[in-house]
Amino acid sequence: MSLEKLGAYPVDGAQARKRGDLVKVAKSDRLNIVSGRDHPVLIQFCVSNDYMHVGELTIPVGGVGPRASEPDSHGGDAVFYVLQGPATFYLADTDETFHIRDGESFFLPGGISYQCLNYGSNPIRMVFTIAPGL
């Protein structure tokens, strides 16, 4: 599966709503993307359409210093729920950090630039939802 499916995975959202399609997405069927050239992370999309993007983000451990996602921002609002952490969100524009523990959520309004860092010894796993504007 490839980046070309972003925005229409597992089916085109408008067509699915028109036809009333119901789609089960097993873990093995997720749209898997390794994102980031300098700081690769695994993104597994369950849904990516014109209304929302939902999936799981994994940030590995190891290397020199903390592992991190690439700096990013989204056109729409985002929510991250930490399954396994803790996760540290760094907001470069305001030079703020937020430490999010297992079972906690973090809301980011659209347009805010952020980076997620893993200072721990285990991979971080988070579920995310992003409004349109991925």
Side-chain angles (χ1 to χ4, degrees):
M1 296 186 198
S2 66
L3 290 173
E4 292 132 12
K5 295 195 179 226
L6 280 177
Y9 184 81
V11 295
D12 179 88
Q15 290 178 5
R17 287 186 294 278
K18 184 177 179 180
R19 294 188 307 238
D21 290 346
L22 304 175
V23 180
K24 175 186 175 185
V25 179
K27 187 165 184 158
S28 61
D29 295 329
R30 292 180 184 174
L31 177 61
N32 295 314
I33 295 173
V34 175
S35 177
R37 195 174 128 213
D38 295 327
H39 305 284
V41 298
L42 175 61
I43 304 174
Q44 298 179 301
F45 286 91
C46 301
V47 172
S48 175
N49 65 30
D50 54 331
Y51 277 18
M52 66 180 162
H53 310 281
V54 178
E56 186 174 325
L57 170 66
T58 303
I59 301 176
V61 296
V64 177
R67 288 297 291 262
S69 63
E70 299 281 337
D72 201 359
S73 67
H74 308 286
D77 295 345
V79 175
F80 295 86
Y81 176 83
V82 176
L83 298 169
Q84 177 183 341
T88 299
F89 283 84
Y90 173 66
L91 310 182
D93 295 341
T94 58
D95 195 31
E96 292 179 277
T97 57
F98 296 87
H99 304 286
I100 314 301
R101 296 183 196 110
D102 295 7
E104 294 181 336
S105 300
F106 188 60
F107 171 78
L108 278 167
I112 301 292
S113 180
Y114 71 95
Q115 193 169 15
C116 186
L117 297 100
N118 184 355
Y119 288 103
S121 57
N122 294 308
I124 292 174
R125 290 181 46 240
M126 294 183 282
V127 175
F128 65 87
T129 300
I130 303 170
L134 182 64

